[in-house]
Each structure stands twice: as structure tokens, then as C-alpha cells.
Amino acid sequence: VTRHPFDRLPGAAALDERDQEFRAGIRALLAEHPAPPYDSAEMGPSIRAAMAWQGTLAAHGYPVPSCPRAYGGVERSPAEQLIQAEEMAAVGAQFSVNIAGISMLTPLLLAHGTDQQRERWLPPVVAGQELWTQLFSEPGAGSDLFALRTTGTVAGDVIRVSGQKVWNSWATVADHGILLVRTDPDGRGKRGISCLLVDMATPGITARPIRQMNGTHEFAEVFLDDAEIPLANLVGELHQGAGAALRVLAAERSGLSMGFYALLAAEFEALLAQASTARLRRHEDAVLDLWIDLATARLGALRLAGGGTGEAAAMGIAAAGKMGVGDMSMRLAYLRADLLGPRLTGYPEGDRLAAAMAEQFTGALAFSLGGGTHQMQRNAIAEGLLGMPR
Ligand SMILES: Cc1cc2nc3c(=O)[nH]c(=O)nc-3n(C[C@H](O)[C@H](O)[C@H](O)COP(=O)(O)OP(=O)(O)OC[C@H]3O[C@@H](n4cnc5c(N)ncnc54)[C@H](O)[C@@H]3O)c2cc1C
């Protein structure tokens, strides 16, 4: 078993000498600055420690988001972003820390924001100082996002917002949120939606944690009661926020497929190192099947990194990648149970590794829902990749 899972996955031929140098650089930096441990029971402090660590990587020239120098970052090629995700996963970094800031806000503002908005909001994400949440889903609007009913009314230089959001990851500890509201009461579907950046400490905003069956409370439901948001925090045009929202969803899906593939490949390698030879033999087919799919996921990520696929096909590949990681996450959870057996369920108190594995087991299904369900990804693949009718 090698230390670095990514050395023995296929795809090296798609990376050139500069990419390999980049890998050596980030690997050396990570050896000097180990990732802080993540403890979901101490969610807030754990996330802040991980963000501070991301800030250290940025200070050494390896910021997590790809972001222009003008906003404190470094612009990275997709291949370099993939390599960084792999190397961070290999040292046990929680890739999803500040995913809303890194994989959603950054591409959103680069495409739709004003210079002032980029100057205000991007440098603190690069430096690991400000935590973001995504305020999109509502009790009646998930897959059908544009059925959202939270309203925003312009009043002078503010927008007054009322409504409810749900399933918002890290909203109880986040500094800011990307919020979708309906500002045109006569608008239907995508028409009449606006995208706002909100300070979670704004009077009228309350985030209540949702306790999950695996003991964590990553999610929140967020209530907005006549909260006043500065009009200056509007991203793009009033009533025209659907394009910005779709940009966020696409970026989220690509970020999830790349980041989760790396995380799963690293967890897979760690699992092989823990399992006994006898159990590995007994579950050989499942081990090999999963390895083949991880290898395929990597090749898909490299294909996206290589560019030239066209936007619709890229959306389809990202959807396939997102669906793939959702599926592999569950298979890895079952394989872990098969390989480690009773240690997974009957673990003694204080066995932190086993507790973390049990948490992963109960949480594995989440990846097939978050960022759009499997069924919605299938729709994207059918339309974007296969050219089938809507
Ligand atoms: C881990 C995780 C993290 C999340 N984080 C956030 C977050 O930070 N911010 C946020 O705003 N939201 C977040 N969500 C919410 C997530 O976006 C929604 O759960 C998701 O979009 C599905 O919406 P829903 O739960 O309302 O289910 P529904 O949309 O009600 O779907 C119910 C079922 O119907 C199926 N279905 C619905 N429409 C169609 C269709 N057109 N074709 C075929 N099948 C369909 C779905 O696939 C699903 O099986 C998160 C969810 C998870 C699990």
C-alpha cells in the first residue's frame, strides 16, 4: 500500500511536467503544514481551524479556490485544481470546508459580480477568514428550485426579505450566505428571481440547527423575517438572478465531483491499509469494482480539466461525475462495513476512528442528494451529454 493513493490511479499521461512540479510543490508544503483534525462534534471550531490552515496554504502560494491575483489568489488550471484536491485529500483534509465560499461564491462573483463586490468578498475566502453558506433550498423548492417563495421587496437602498430556507449546510456558523429570493411577485419560474449576498448576523435572520441521525448538526433551517439586505449586495441585475443561480449550481456540481472523488479515493486507500488480507480476499470483486470506478472518475475529471468539451457536454460530464461520487460513497460505506466488520458498529467509546467510520456510513447517502439528486443529474446527462429531448 502506497502512501499516496493517486500515484497508482491511471491518468498520469494527461498531466504534463508543470503539473508534476505543481504536485511536488503542494505535497512538500502539506508535509510541512499538516491538516488539522476535523471533529463534527466541534463543528464551528473545527471549520475555523481548517479555514485557518487553508489560509496558510494560500499564504504559501497554494490558495484553495482558483482566483485572480487581484483578489488575493492565484489562477490555477483545472488540472492543478484537481491535483491540489487529490493531495489535500491524501493528507485527510476535509475538502468541503467553506465549499460555498470556494466552489460557489468565487465562480459566481468572477462571472456576475462587480469589481467592488469581488474586492470585498473574495480575498477573505482565499485567506480562510470568512465562511459562507448556500441559501437556496426551501421546504417547497429543492429539485424544482425556481418554485422558491422567499420574497424580496426593494425599499430605497435595501431589499427587505422574508421567507424560509432549509438544508443549509453550516448556516449556524457561517458569516455570510448566497441567497435566492423572488423580487418580482408577478414573475414565474426563472423570471423574477434575484441573487443576494447576506450577512448572517443581519437582524431578522435566524439559523436553527437540524440534528441528524448520525449525531451531527451540519444542516440548518434559516428563517428570514423582514431582514434588510443592502441593495449593493445584489449580484447581477434585479429580477435576473436565475443565470447566476444556475452558474452556482454548475460550479457546485463540478466542485463536488472533483473534491469527493479525491476524498473517496483517499478513504479507499486508507481502508485497504486497515483491512485484513482474509477479508480483502473475500470481498475482492467489490474492491476491484470500486477501484475501477474511482479510476474512471479520475479520467472523467481529467477530461473536464483538459477542456474543449463544450458547455453542455461539460455539464453532462460534471453531472455524471457527481452521480458517480454519490454512488461510490454508498458502495465505499458498505465495503468498509464488510471489510472492518463489527468494529464499525460495536465500537467502544473513545474509538475515534470507528466513530468517524460509523458517521460516514450513516452519512453516505447524503452525497446522492446534496448538490442535486441522482434523478436530476440523469436529466442533465440525458439532455447535455446525450442530446435527448427535455
Ligand atoms: C448533504 C446535503 C447538503 C445540502 N446542502 C444544501 C445547502 O447548503 N444549501 C441549500 O440550499 N440546499 C442544500 N441541500 C438541499 C439539496 O439541494 C436538496 O435536498 C435537493 O436539491 C433535493 O431537493 P428536496 O430535498 O427538496 O427533494 P425534492 O426536490 O422534493 O425531491 C424528492 C424526490 O423527487 C425526485 N424528483 C424531483 N424532481 C424530479 C424531476 N424533475 N425528475 C425526476 N425526479 C425528480 C428527486 O430526485 C427526489 O428523489 C443539501 C442537501 C444535502 C443532502
Side-chain angles (χ1 to χ4, degrees), residues 198-225:
V198 301
D199 183 336
M200 292 300 285
T202 306
I205 298 184
T206 314
R208 288 198 201 134
I210 300 175
R211 303 246 162 231
Q212 296 159 225
M213 74 172 181
N214 64 359
T216 63
H217 50 100
E218 173 204 309
F219 291 126
E221 46 185 355
V222 173
F223 298 89
L224 301 112
D225 183 12

PDB file of all heavy atoms in Angstrom, residues 198-225:
ATOM      1  N   VAL A 198     -25.716  37.895   1.764  1.00  0.00           N
ATOM      2  CA  VAL A 198     -26.241  38.373   3.049  1.00  0.00           C
ATOM      3  C   VAL A 198     -25.281  38.089   4.195  1.00  0.00           C
ATOM      4  O   VAL A 198     -24.629  37.046   4.230  1.00  0.00           O
ATOM      5  CB  VAL A 198     -27.608  37.740   3.396  1.00  0.00           C
ATOM      6  CG1 VAL A 198     -28.629  38.054   2.333  1.00  0.00           C
ATOM      7  CG2 VAL A 198     -27.520  36.247   3.595  1.00  0.00           C
ATOM      8  N   ASP A 199     -25.241  39.043   5.107  1.00  0.00           N
ATOM      9  CA  ASP A 199     -24.508  38.874   6.363  1.00  0.00           C
ATOM     10  C   ASP A 199     -25.429  38.077   7.292  1.00  0.00           C
ATOM     11  O   ASP A 199     -26.560  38.506   7.555  1.00  0.00           O
ATOM     12  CB  ASP A 199     -24.216  40.270   6.933  1.00  0.00           C
ATOM     13  CG  ASP A 199     -23.394  40.204   8.210  1.00  0.00           C
ATOM     14  OD1 ASP A 199     -23.434  39.144   8.882  1.00  0.00           O
ATOM     15  OD2 ASP A 199     -22.731  41.207   8.523  1.00  0.00           O
ATOM     16  N   MET A 200     -24.970  36.918   7.769  1.00  0.00           N
ATOM     17  CA  MET A 200     -25.852  36.058   8.575  1.00  0.00           C
ATOM     18  C   MET A 200     -26.203  36.695   9.928  1.00  0.00           C
ATOM     19  O   MET A 200     -27.115  36.227  10.606  1.00  0.00           O
ATOM     20  CB  MET A 200     -25.196  34.685   8.798  1.00  0.00           C
ATOM     21  CG  MET A 200     -25.072  33.848   7.534  1.00  0.00           C
ATOM     22  SD  MET A 200     -26.674  33.490   6.744  1.00  0.00           S
ATOM     23  CE  MET A 200     -27.325  32.238   7.832  1.00  0.00           C
ATOM     24  N   ALA A 201     -25.469  37.765  10.298  1.00  0.00           N
ATOM     25  CA  ALA A 201     -25.777  38.439  11.567  1.00  0.00           C
ATOM     26  C   ALA A 201     -26.837  39.534  11.393  1.00  0.00           C
ATOM     27  O   ALA A 201     -27.178  40.237  12.347  1.00  0.00           O
ATOM     28  CB  ALA A 201     -24.498  39.043  12.155  1.00  0.00           C
ATOM     29  N   THR A 202     -27.384  39.680  10.187  1.00  0.00           N
ATOM     30  CA  THR A 202     -28.403  40.702   9.934  1.00  0.00           C
ATOM     31  C   THR A 202     -29.614  40.476  10.843  1.00  0.00           C
ATOM     32  O   THR A 202     -30.107  39.337  10.929  1.00  0.00           O
ATOM     33  CB  THR A 202     -28.876  40.605   8.454  1.00  0.00           C
ATOM     34  OG1 THR A 202     -27.728  40.685   7.609  1.00  0.00           O
ATOM     35  CG2 THR A 202     -29.863  41.700   8.107  1.00  0.00           C
ATOM     36  N   PRO A 203     -30.131  41.522  11.512  1.00  0.00           N
ATOM     37  CA  PRO A 203     -31.336  41.343  12.312  1.00  0.00           C
ATOM     38  C   PRO A 203     -32.464  40.771  11.454  1.00  0.00           C
ATOM     39  O   PRO A 203     -32.640  41.186  10.311  1.00  0.00           O
ATOM     40  CB  PRO A 203     -31.665  42.770  12.792  1.00  0.00           C
ATOM     41  CG  PRO A 203     -30.360  43.496  12.732  1.00  0.00           C
ATOM     42  CD  PRO A 203     -29.587  42.890  11.592  1.00  0.00           C
ATOM     43  N   GLY A 204     -33.200  39.799  11.997  1.00  0.00           N
ATOM     44  CA  GLY A 204     -34.290  39.172  11.240  1.00  0.00           C
ATOM     45  C   GLY A 204     -33.885  37.831  10.633  1.00  0.00           C
ATOM     46  O   GLY A 204     -34.737  37.107  10.137  1.00  0.00           O
ATOM     47  N   ILE A 205     -32.590  37.501  10.677  1.00  0.00           N
ATOM     48  CA  ILE A 205     -32.159  36.190  10.147  1.00  0.00           C
ATOM     49  C   ILE A 205     -31.857  35.257  11.325  1.00  0.00           C
ATOM     50  O   ILE A 205     -31.063  35.586  12.200  1.00  0.00           O
ATOM     51  CB  ILE A 205     -30.906  36.314   9.252  1.00  0.00           C
ATOM     52  CG1 ILE A 205     -31.220  37.188   8.029  1.00  0.00           C
ATOM     53  CG2 ILE A 205     -30.424  34.926   8.807  1.00  0.00           C
ATOM     54  CD1 ILE A 205     -30.076  37.307   7.025  1.00  0.00           C
ATOM     55  N   THR A 206     -32.514  34.087  11.337  1.00  0.00           N
ATOM     56  CA  THR A 206     -32.284  33.103  12.405  1.00  0.00           C
ATOM     57  C   THR A 206     -31.959  31.755  11.773  1.00  0.00           C
ATOM     58  O   THR A 206     -32.716  31.277  10.926  1.00  0.00           O
ATOM     59  CB  THR A 206     -33.569  32.908  13.254  1.00  0.00           C
ATOM     60  OG1 THR A 206     -34.101  34.190  13.558  1.00  0.00           O
ATOM     61  CG2 THR A 206     -33.288  32.142  14.528  1.00  0.00           C
ATOM     62  N   ALA A 207     -30.842  31.164  12.180  1.00  0.00           N
ATOM     63  CA  ALA A 207     -30.473  29.823  11.681  1.00  0.00           C
ATOM     64  C   ALA A 207     -30.632  28.821  12.814  1.00  0.00           C
ATOM     65  O   ALA A 207     -30.005  28.971  13.871  1.00  0.00           O
ATOM     66  CB  ALA A 207     -29.026  29.843  11.182  1.00  0.00           C
ATOM     67  N   ARG A 208     -31.500  27.820  12.602  1.00  0.00           N
ATOM     68  CA  ARG A 208     -31.716  26.785  13.626  1.00  0.00           C
ATOM     69  C   ARG A 208     -31.114  25.474  13.158  1.00  0.00           C
ATOM     70  O   ARG A 208     -31.411  25.012  12.053  1.00  0.00           O
ATOM     71  CB  ARG A 208     -33.214  26.557  13.849  1.00  0.00           C
ATOM     72  CG  ARG A 208     -33.854  27.699  14.570  1.00  0.00           C
ATOM     73  CD  ARG A 208     -35.193  27.278  15.168  1.00  0.00           C
ATOM     74  NE  ARG A 208     -35.984  28.467  15.404  1.00  0.00           N
ATOM     75  CZ  ARG A 208     -37.257  28.604  15.086  1.00  0.00           C
ATOM     76  NH1 ARG A 208     -37.903  27.602  14.508  1.00  0.00           N
ATOM     77  NH2 ARG A 208     -37.895  29.717  15.336  1.00  0.00           N
ATOM     78  N   PRO A 209     -30.269  24.844  14.006  1.00  0.00           N
ATOM     79  CA  PRO A 209     -29.643  23.584  13.575  1.00  0.00           C
ATOM     80  C   PRO A 209     -30.657  22.464  13.412  1.00  0.00           C
ATOM     81  O   PRO A 209     -31.660  22.418  14.122  1.00  0.00           O
ATOM     82  CB  PRO A 209     -28.672  23.261  14.717  1.00  0.00           C
ATOM     83  CG  PRO A 209     -29.150  24.043  15.888  1.00  0.00           C
ATOM     84  CD  PRO A 209     -29.890  25.229  15.372  1.00  0.00           C
ATOM     85  N   ILE A 210     -30.416  21.562  12.452  1.00  0.00           N
ATOM     86  CA  ILE A 210     -31.226  20.348  12.285  1.00  0.00           C
ATOM     87  C   ILE A 210     -30.353  19.181  12.731  1.00  0.00           C
ATOM     88  O   ILE A 210     -29.286  18.946  12.145  1.00  0.00           O
ATOM     89  CB  ILE A 210     -31.635  20.143  10.805  1.00  0.00           C
ATOM     90  CG1 ILE A 210     -32.457  21.327  10.299  1.00  0.00           C
ATOM     91  CG2 ILE A 210     -32.405  18.833  10.639  1.00  0.00           C
ATOM     92  CD1 ILE A 210     -32.794  21.263   8.803  1.00  0.00           C
ATOM     93  N   ARG A 211     -30.778  18.492  13.788  1.00  0.00           N
ATOM     94  CA  ARG A 211     -29.978  17.352  14.281  1.00  0.00           C
ATOM     95  C   ARG A 211     -30.202  16.160  13.368  1.00  0.00           C
ATOM     96  O   ARG A 211     -31.325  15.800  13.070  1.00  0.00           O
ATOM     97  CB  ARG A 211     -30.383  16.975  15.705  1.00  0.00           C
ATOM     98  CG  ARG A 211     -30.251  18.119  16.662  1.00  0.00           C
ATOM     99  CD  ARG A 211     -29.166  17.896  17.719  1.00  0.00           C
ATOM    100  NE  ARG A 211     -28.836  19.204  18.306  1.00  0.00           N
ATOM    101  CZ  ARG A 211     -27.614  19.694  18.432  1.00  0.00           C
ATOM    102  NH1 ARG A 211     -26.576  18.990  18.062  1.00  0.00           N
ATOM    103  NH2 ARG A 211     -27.415  20.883  18.944  1.00  0.00           N
ATOM    104  N   GLN A 212     -29.117  15.501  12.971  1.00  0.00           N
ATOM    105  CA  GLN A 212     -29.223  14.366  12.052  1.00  0.00           C
ATOM    106  C   GLN A 212     -29.081  13.059  12.818  1.00  0.00           C
ATOM    107  O   GLN A 212     -28.570  13.025  13.932  1.00  0.00           O
ATOM    108  CB  GLN A 212     -28.116  14.474  10.994  1.00  0.00           C
ATOM    109  CG  GLN A 212     -28.264  15.702  10.124  1.00  0.00           C
ATOM    110  CD  GLN A 212     -26.961  16.098   9.453  1.00  0.00           C
ATOM    111  OE1 GLN A 212     -26.607  17.268   9.444  1.00  0.00           O
ATOM    112  NE2 GLN A 212     -26.244  15.128   8.903  1.00  0.00           N
ATOM    113  N   MET A 213     -29.490  11.955  12.161  1.00  0.00           N
ATOM    114  CA  MET A 213     -29.457  10.669  12.859  1.00  0.00           C
ATOM    115  C   MET A 213     -28.031  10.201  13.143  1.00  0.00           C
ATOM    116  O   MET A 213     -27.819   9.369  14.007  1.00  0.00           O
ATOM    117  CB  MET A 213     -30.214   9.602  12.071  1.00  0.00           C
ATOM    118  CG  MET A 213     -29.508   9.088  10.856  1.00  0.00           C
ATOM    119  SD  MET A 213     -30.420   7.691  10.166  1.00  0.00           S
ATOM    120  CE  MET A 213     -29.379   7.271   8.805  1.00  0.00           C
ATOM    121  N   ASN A 214     -27.050  10.734  12.435  1.00  0.00           N
ATOM    122  CA  ASN A 214     -25.667  10.338  12.731  1.00  0.00           C
ATOM    123  C   ASN A 214     -25.033  11.230  13.805  1.00  0.00           C
ATOM    124  O   ASN A 214     -23.831  11.207  14.007  1.00  0.00           O
ATOM    125  CB  ASN A 214     -24.819  10.305  11.456  1.00  0.00           C
ATOM    126  CG  ASN A 214     -24.673  11.666  10.813  1.00  0.00           C
ATOM    127  OD1 ASN A 214     -25.213  12.654  11.307  1.00  0.00           O
ATOM    128  ND2 ASN A 214     -23.958  11.734   9.719  1.00  0.00           N
ATOM    129  N   GLY A 215     -25.855  12.023  14.459  1.00  0.00           N
ATOM    130  CA  GLY A 215     -25.359  12.784  15.606  1.00  0.00           C
ATOM    131  C   GLY A 215     -24.822  14.155  15.246  1.00  0.00           C
ATOM    132  O   GLY A 215     -24.563  14.974  16.117  1.00  0.00           O
ATOM    133  N   THR A 216     -24.658  14.431  13.953  1.00  0.00           N
ATOM    134  CA  THR A 216     -24.112  15.735  13.576  1.00  0.00           C
ATOM    135  C   THR A 216     -25.249  16.742  13.390  1.00  0.00           C
ATOM    136  O   THR A 216     -26.421  16.383  13.392  1.00  0.00           O
ATOM    137  CB  THR A 216     -23.291  15.638  12.274  1.00  0.00           C
ATOM    138  OG1 THR A 216     -24.169  15.243  11.232  1.00  0.00           O
ATOM    139  CG2 THR A 216     -22.170  14.630  12.404  1.00  0.00           C
ATOM    140  N   HIS A 217     -24.887  17.993  13.237  1.00  0.00           N
ATOM    141  CA  HIS A 217     -25.904  19.025  13.002  1.00  0.00           C
ATOM    142  C   HIS A 217     -25.353  20.025  11.999  1.00  0.00           C
ATOM    143  O   HIS A 217     -25.328  21.221  12.211  1.00  0.00           O
ATOM    144  CB  HIS A 217     -26.325  19.708  14.314  1.00  0.00           C
ATOM    145  CG  HIS A 217     -25.168  20.167  15.135  1.00  0.00           C
ATOM    146  ND1 HIS A 217     -24.745  21.439  15.155  1.00  0.00           N
ATOM    147  CD2 HIS A 217     -24.331  19.520  15.944  1.00  0.00           C
ATOM    148  CE1 HIS A 217     -23.688  21.550  15.949  1.00  0.00           C
ATOM    149  NE2 HIS A 217     -23.422  20.402  16.433  1.00  0.00           N
ATOM    150  N   GLU A 218     -24.925  19.448  10.868  1.00  0.00           N
ATOM    151  CA  GLU A 218     -24.335  20.268   9.814  1.00  0.00           C
ATOM    152  C   GLU A 218     -25.374  21.188   9.170  1.00  0.00           C
ATOM    153  O   GLU A 218     -25.084  22.315   8.794  1.00  0.00           O
ATOM    154  CB  GLU A 218     -23.744  19.314   8.780  1.00  0.00           C
ATOM    155  CG  GLU A 218     -23.244  19.974   7.534  1.00  0.00           C
ATOM    156  CD  GLU A 218     -23.216  18.999   6.363  1.00  0.00           C
ATOM    157  OE1 GLU A 218     -22.663  17.896   6.505  1.00  0.00           O
ATOM    158  OE2 GLU A 218     -23.740  19.361   5.293  1.00  0.00           O
ATOM    159  N   PHE A 219     -26.617  20.698   9.077  1.00  0.00           N
ATOM    160  CA  PHE A 219     -27.672  21.458   8.404  1.00  0.00           C
ATOM    161  C   PHE A 219     -28.359  22.448   9.332  1.00  0.00           C
ATOM    162  O   PHE A 219     -28.398  22.254  10.536  1.00  0.00           O
ATOM    163  CB  PHE A 219     -28.799  20.540   7.954  1.00  0.00           C
ATOM    164  CG  PHE A 219     -28.456  19.606   6.864  1.00  0.00           C
ATOM    165  CD1 PHE A 219     -28.674  18.257   7.018  1.00  0.00           C
ATOM    166  CD2 PHE A 219     -27.956  20.064   5.661  1.00  0.00           C
ATOM    167  CE1 PHE A 219     -28.400  17.374   5.997  1.00  0.00           C
ATOM    168  CE2 PHE A 219     -27.684  19.192   4.637  1.00  0.00           C
ATOM    169  CZ  PHE A 219     -27.899  17.839   4.810  1.00  0.00           C
ATOM    170  N   ALA A 220     -28.993  23.435   8.685  1.00  0.00           N
ATOM    171  CA  ALA A 220     -29.852  24.342   9.446  1.00  0.00           C
ATOM    172  C   ALA A 220     -31.074  24.664   8.611  1.00  0.00           C
ATOM    173  O   ALA A 220     -31.088  24.467   7.392  1.00  0.00           O
ATOM    174  CB  ALA A 220     -29.103  25.628   9.768  1.00  0.00           C
ATOM    175  N   GLU A 221     -32.105  25.142   9.294  1.00  0.00           N
ATOM    176  CA  GLU A 221     -33.183  25.820   8.568  1.00  0.00           C
ATOM    177  C   GLU A 221     -33.035  27.295   8.916  1.00  0.00           C
ATOM    178  O   GLU A 221     -32.717  27.647  10.050  1.00  0.00           O
ATOM    179  CB  GLU A 221     -34.557  25.248   8.916  1.00  0.00           C
ATOM    180  CG  GLU A 221     -34.817  25.041  10.381  1.00  0.00           C
ATOM    181  CD  GLU A 221     -36.159  24.360  10.648  1.00  0.00           C
ATOM    182  OE1 GLU A 221     -36.915  24.133   9.694  1.00  0.00           O
ATOM    183  OE2 GLU A 221     -36.441  24.082  11.819  1.00  0.00           O
ATOM    184  N   VAL A 222     -33.226  28.128   7.924  1.00  0.00           N
ATOM    185  CA  VAL A 222     -32.953  29.559   8.104  1.00  0.00           C
ATOM    186  C   VAL A 222     -34.236  30.350   7.875  1.00  0.00           C
ATOM    187  O   VAL A 222     -34.892  30.197   6.836  1.00  0.00           O
ATOM    188  CB  VAL A 222     -31.834  30.030   7.135  1.00  0.00           C
ATOM    189  CG1 VAL A 222     -31.659  31.544   7.195  1.00  0.00           C
ATOM    190  CG2 VAL A 222     -30.520  29.329   7.482  1.00  0.00           C
ATOM    191  N   PHE A 223     -34.585  31.162   8.857  1.00  0.00           N
ATOM    192  CA  PHE A 223     -35.802  31.973   8.771  1.00  0.00           C
ATOM    193  C   PHE A 223     -35.399  33.426   8.529  1.00  0.00           C
ATOM    194  O   PHE A 223     -34.486  33.940   9.184  1.00  0.00           O
ATOM    195  CB  PHE A 223     -36.597  31.846  10.076  1.00  0.00           C
ATOM    196  CG  PHE A 223     -37.039  30.428  10.336  1.00  0.00           C
ATOM    197  CD1 PHE A 223     -36.224  29.548  11.033  1.00  0.00           C
ATOM    198  CD2 PHE A 223     -38.252  29.963   9.837  1.00  0.00           C
ATOM    199  CE1 PHE A 223     -36.610  28.235  11.245  1.00  0.00           C
ATOM    200  CE2 PHE A 223     -38.650  28.644  10.050  1.00  0.00           C
ATOM    201  CZ  PHE A 223     -37.829  27.781  10.753  1.00  0.00           C
ATOM    202  N   LEU A 224     -36.085  34.054   7.581  1.00  0.00           N
ATOM    203  CA  LEU A 224     -35.802  35.465   7.275  1.00  0.00           C
ATOM    204  C   LEU A 224     -37.087  36.240   7.532  1.00  0.00           C
ATOM    205  O   LEU A 224     -38.129  35.958   6.912  1.00  0.00           O
ATOM    206  CB  LEU A 224     -35.369  35.625   5.824  1.00  0.00           C
ATOM    207  CG  LEU A 224     -34.113  34.820   5.462  1.00  0.00           C
ATOM    208  CD1 LEU A 224     -34.435  33.698   4.494  1.00  0.00           C
ATOM    209  CD2 LEU A 224     -33.027  35.715   4.922  1.00  0.00           C
ATOM    210  N   ASP A 225     -37.006  37.173   8.467  1.00  0.00           N
ATOM    211  CA  ASP A 225     -38.203  37.886   8.883  1.00  0.00           C
ATOM    212  C   ASP A 225     -37.972  39.382   8.693  1.00  0.00           C
ATOM    213  O   ASP A 225     -37.402  40.052   9.545  1.00  0.00           O
ATOM    214  CB  ASP A 225     -38.487  37.543  10.362  1.00  0.00           C
ATOM    215  CG  ASP A 225     -39.767  38.190  10.851  1.00  0.00           C
ATOM    216  OD1 ASP A 225     -40.536  38.701  10.008  1.00  0.00           O
ATOM    217  OD2 ASP A 225     -39.976  38.206  12.079  1.00  0.00           O
TER     218      ASP A 225
END
